[in-house]
DNA sequence: TACCAGGAACGGG
DNA sequence: CCCGTTCATGGT
C-alpha cells in the first residue's frame, strides 16, 4: 500500500468539494447519506490514471490531506480535487456582487472537481430531473453492477464502468437500476464512446464549439454539456443553466435573461467575470441549494 | 394524492 | 427556430 500526505497551502474543503453536487463518482467510507454535513470520514473512488483501475481513499484533517492507494495518487488527487486552482486569485478576479460574495464566504474552500470525462458524462446524463442523492445512488449501482472490482485493505472498490462495459449493458438491465427513461441515453452514449467518439476530444475547441459537440451524445443537451465541460474538461468559464440558476437569474440578474440558453448563459458569464464564471456559478448553486439567499 | 426533481427528445406550428 | 408534451422513478 502507498500512503502520502498533501499539505494544503490554500483554502480547501474536501466535503464541500465532493458533496456539493459536482461529482457523483466518489463515496463516503462511513456510508452516510451523500450530502451529509459530517466530514469525519474517508472518501473513496478509483482512478485509471496509471493504467488498471486503482482504489484511492482520502481524508482531510485541517490543512492536511492524507491518501492511501495501490499507486502514487498525489498528482491524480491534486488534479481531480482542483488543488491546482488559485482559489484566492479566482475570487479576486470575480466581479464584486453581493450574492457571489455571500456564497464564497459561506462555503469557502469548495473547489471545482475534475471528474474522469466518461464518468462525468454518464453521471450528468443521469442527472436529468433527478435529486442529488438519487443521482449518486444510480452511479453507485452502475459501479457495483458493471464496474471492475478491486480489493483494498480487505474491502471491495468497484471502478466506474468503462464505455465498453456500459455499452454491453442492455436497456432493461439499466432500467433495473432505476435509471428510468435515461437508460437508453446511457446505453447509446456509452456505445458512441466505445466506438471511438470520446468526450475529451473536444479539448482544444472553443468553449461554445465544445458545448455544441458534446450535445451530439444521446441525452446530452446544453445544460448537461456545460456540466461535463465544467466538472470534467476544465472549461472553468462554463455555466450550467439548471432550474436553480434560472430562478436565480430571474431574481438577481434579470437583465441577463435573453430568452435562449446560449445567449442567457453568455450574458451571465460576462456578469460573473468570464474566465472563471463556472466557479461563481458553482458557489451560487450550492449556496441556494443549501438554503442561503 | 399530486407534485417535483441540477433536462432532453420529439413533434407540430 | 420555438414551444408544449412526454418521458420513469421515488420522495414528500
Amino acid at each position: 500500500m502507498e500512503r502520502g500526505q498533501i499539505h494544503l497551502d490554500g483554502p480547501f474543503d474536501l466535503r464541500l468539494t465532493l458533496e456539493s453536487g459536482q461529482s457523483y463518482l466518489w463515496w463516503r467510507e462511513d456510508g452516510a447519506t451523500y450530502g451529509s454535513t459530517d466530514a469525519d470520514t474517508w472518501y473513496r473512488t478509483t482512478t485509471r490514471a496509471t493504467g488498471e483501475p486503482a482504489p484511492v481513499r482520502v481524508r482531510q484533517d485541517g490543512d492536511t490531506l492524507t491518501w492511501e492507494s495501490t499507486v502514487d495518487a498525489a498528482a491524480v488527487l491534486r488534479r481531480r480535487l482542483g488543488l491546482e486552482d488559485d482559489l484566492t486569485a479566482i475570487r479576486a478576479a470575480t466581479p464584486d456582487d453581493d450574492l457571489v460574495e455571500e456564497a464564497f464566504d459561506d462555503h469557502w474552500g469548495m473547489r471545482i472537481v475534475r471528474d474522469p470525462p466518461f464518468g462525468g458524462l454518464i453521471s450528468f446524463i443521469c442527472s436529468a430531473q433527478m435529486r442529488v442523492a438519487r443521482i449518486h445512488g444510480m452511479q453507485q449501482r452502475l459501479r457495483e453492477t458493471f464496474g471492475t472490482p478491486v480489493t483494498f485493505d480487505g474491502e471491495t472498490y468497484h471502478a466506474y464502468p468503462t464505455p465498453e462495459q456500459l455499452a454491453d449493458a442492455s436497456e432493461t438491465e439499466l432500467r433495473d437500476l432505476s435509471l428510468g427513461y435515461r437508460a437508453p441515453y446511457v446505453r447509446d452514449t456509452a456505445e458512441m464512446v466505445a466506438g471511438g467518439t470520446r468526450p475529451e476530444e473536444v479539448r482544444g475547441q472553443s468553449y461554445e464549439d465544445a458545448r455544441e459537440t458534446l450535445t451530439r451524445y444521446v441525452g446530452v443537451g446544453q445544460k448537461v454539456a456545460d456540466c461535463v465541460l465544467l466538472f470534467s474538461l476544465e472549461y472553468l468559464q462554463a455555466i450550467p443553466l439548471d432550474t436553480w440558476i434560472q430562478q436565480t437569474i430571474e431574481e438577481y440578474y434579470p437583465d441577463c435573461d435573453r430568452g435562449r440558453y446560449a445567449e442567457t448563459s453568455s450574458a451571465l458569464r460576462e456578469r460573473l467575470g468570464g474566465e472563471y464564471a463556472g466557479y461563481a456559478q458553482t458557489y451560487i448553486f450550492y449556496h441556494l441549494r443549501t438554503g442561503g439567499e
Side-chain angles (χ1 to χ4, degrees):
Chain A
M1 178 175 79
E2 299 206 33
R3 179 188 180 96
Q5 292 190 327
I6 297 173
H7 176 70
L8 302 164
D9 46 24
F12 178 71
D13 188 307
L14 183 64
R15 181 191 67 82
L16 282 174
T17 300
L18 294 181
E19 300 199 45
S20 50
Q22 301 179 51
S23 175
Y24 300 95
L25 306 182
W26 293 73
W27 62 100
R28 294 172 59 110
E29 184 166 285
D30 65 4
T33 306
Y34 191 80
S36 160
T37 54
D38 178 10
D40 189 26
T41 188
W42 292 90
Y43 286 85
R44 296 177 172 179
T45 191
T46 60
T47 177
R48 297 176 192 273
T50 53
E52 290 303 297
V56 181
R57 66 176 189 165
V58 59
R59 67 178 295 136
Q60 178 172 15
D61 297 288
D63 60 359
T64 301
L65 275 185
T66 301
W67 59 263
E68 296 179 351
S69 180
T70 55
V71 298
D72 184 349
V76 173
L77 287 172
R78 284 189 173 281
R79 181 168 45 78
R80 287 188 55 177
L81 298 174
L83 293 174
E84 311 289 356
D85 297 339
D86 187 340
L87 191 51
T88 302
I90 288 171
R91 178 171 182 170
T94 302
D96 287 337
D97 175 290
D98 289 346
L99 180 63
V100 175
E101 296 302 323
E102 190 176 297
F104 272 130
D105 284 340
D106 284 4
H107 311 292
W108 191 229
M110 180 173 67
R111 304 283 177 134
I112 298 291
V113 299
R114 268 70 160 184
D115 275 350
F118 180 67
L121 177 63
I122 297 298
S123 59
F124 277 97
I125 286 174
C126 292
S127 76
Q129 289 293 100
M130 205 40 67
R131 295 173 194 269
V132 166
R134 290 193 58 203
I135 303 165
H136 189 247
M138 288 180 191
Q139 307 319 304
Q140 192 145 310
R141 292 191 290 278
L142 285 172
R143 283 191 294 100
E144 292 174 355
T145 306
F146 299 107
T148 302
V150 289
T151 54
F152 183 62
D153 197 24
E155 296 199 53
T156 302
Y157 289 48
H158 288 267
Y160 199 82
T162 62
E164 292 74 18
Q165 286 172 324
L166 276 191
D168 285 343
S170 71
E171 182 181 329
T172 303
E173 286 178 295
L174 294 173
R175 283 184 183 272
D176 287 345
L177 302 182
S178 298
L179 267 64
Y181 61 82
R182 304 157 197 80
Y185 299 167
V186 166
R187 213 210 66 79
D188 291 348
T189 289
E191 193 165 68
M192 291 171 70
V193 177
T197 308
R198 309 203 170 268
E200 50 267 44
E201 285 173 13
V202 307
R203 281 182 171 139
Q205 294 181 18
S206 72
Y207 161 58
E208 301 211 340
D209 285 350
R211 183 173 62 193
E212 188 57 33
T213 301
L214 289 178
T215 61
R216 294 175 190 162
Y217 291 114
V218 185
V220 178
Q222 299 185 94
K223 187 271 174 183
V224 168
D226 269 331
C227 286
V228 177
L229 290 173
L230 179 58
F231 301 130
S232 286
L233 297 174
E234 308 198 79
Y235 283 75
L236 297 184
Q237 70 270 51
I239 302 185
L241 297 187
D242 60 275
T243 53
W244 289 85
I245 294 299
Q246 299 206 26
Q247 201 172 337
T248 304
I249 291 171
E250 286 181 32
E251 199 171 334
Y252 294 88
Y253 313 101
D255 57 305
C256 291
D257 185 359
R258 305 297 163 83
R260 288 192 295 271
Y261 187 102
E263 282 71 13
T264 301
S265 173
S266 178
L268 184 60
R269 183 160 41 261
E270 290 309 308
R271 175 67 60 90
L272 296 178
E275 188 177 5
Y276 300 112
Y279 251 103
Q281 185 272 3
T282 301
Y283 271 87
I284 292 172
F285 169 79
Y286 187 65
H287 187 52
L288 297 177
R289 246 191 53 76
T290 52
E293 125 178 37

